[in-house]
Amino acid sequence: MVDVIRLLGIRDTPLSVDEVLGAVEDHAAGGTAVFVGTVREQDGGRPVTLLSYSAHPSAEEHLRRVAEKVAADHQVTALAAVHRVGDLRLGEIAVVVAAACPHRAEAFDACRRLIDDLKHEVPIWKHQVFADGGAEWVGACE
């Protein structure tokens, strides 16, 4: 199972979709699914001007456990997940996850499970600043 988890990380530098795709490249895979999460211009109908992510020091350990569960429950040949921390501007990439599997349906299912479980189980928090001067913290562990 460890061999299928190719790339995991919490980073304070810009993320690369190409790096994540390269990490899950595998000749045994017939399908690869990728999810790219970006900073959007509004949340709940309120314009966002700045977004910042913070992570608990144990976040990478939690991310590894999430990936191990996905690998155990799905027929994956490769998994990768990276999440950004720090200040991000509108349009910047906040998270990239990918799953490569023998077939496309498995790849879609594994990729969706990877991003959903990451959002629910990895201790990463989002601080949003709105154009009206308001701000809020949102827990990624929903």
Side-chain angles (χ1 to χ4, degrees), residues 40 42-54 125-140 142:
R40 63 182 174 267
Q42 62 176 289
D43 190 25
R46 297 173 71 189
V48 173
T49 59
L50 177 69
L51 188 138
S52 183
Y53 283 98
S54 300
W125 301 275
K126 175 173 62 174
H127 184 242
Q128 298 184 116
V129 178
F130 298 100
D132 64 10
E136 71 179 359
W137 283 95
V138 180
E142 300 168 345

Side-chain angles (χ1 to χ4, degrees), residues 9-15 53-55 60 82-88 92-94:
I10 308 294
R11 299 183 177 168
D12 62 359
T13 56
L15 304 180
Y53 283 98
S54 300
E60 283 195 28
V82 289
H83 201 295
R84 179 97 182 264
V85 292
D87 294 340
L88 283 78
E92 284 192 283
I93 297 172

Side-chain angles (χ1 to χ4, degrees), residues 59-139:
E60 283 195 28
E61 295 168 26
H62 287 271
L63 181 55
R64 177 158 295 282
R65 284 195 290 275
V66 163
E68 288 171 349
K69 287 182 202 173
V70 172
D73 293 346
H74 295 273
Q75 189 179 358
V76 297
T77 59
L79 289 175
V82 289
H83 201 295
R84 179 97 182 264
V85 292
D87 294 340
L88 283 78
R89 294 184 315 263
L90 296 179
E92 284 192 283
I93 297 172
V95 63
V96 183
V97 302
C101 298
H103 303 284
R104 72 177 173 271
E106 297 165 335
F108 283 124
D109 291 345
C111 186
R112 181 177 192 107
R113 168 89 181 276
L114 185 56
I115 187 59
D116 287 350
D117 288 0
L118 183 159
K119 297 297 278 180
H120 290 288
E121 298 179 29
V122 179
I124 299 172
W125 301 275
K126 175 173 62 174
H127 184 242
Q128 298 184 116
V129 178
F130 298 100
D132 64 10
E136 71 179 359
W137 283 95
V138 180

Side-chain angles (χ1 to χ4, degrees), residues 1-7 20-29 31-33 67 70-71 74-81 97-102 106-107 110-111 114:
M1 175 178 11
V2 174
D3 293 337
V4 303
I5 300 171
R6 306 276 177 83
L7 174 66
V20 173
L21 272 172
V24 297
E25 186 177 331
D26 194 296
H27 293 296
T32 300
V70 172
H74 295 273
Q75 189 179 358
V76 297
T77 59
L79 289 175
V97 302
C101 298
E106 297 165 335
C111 186
L114 185 56

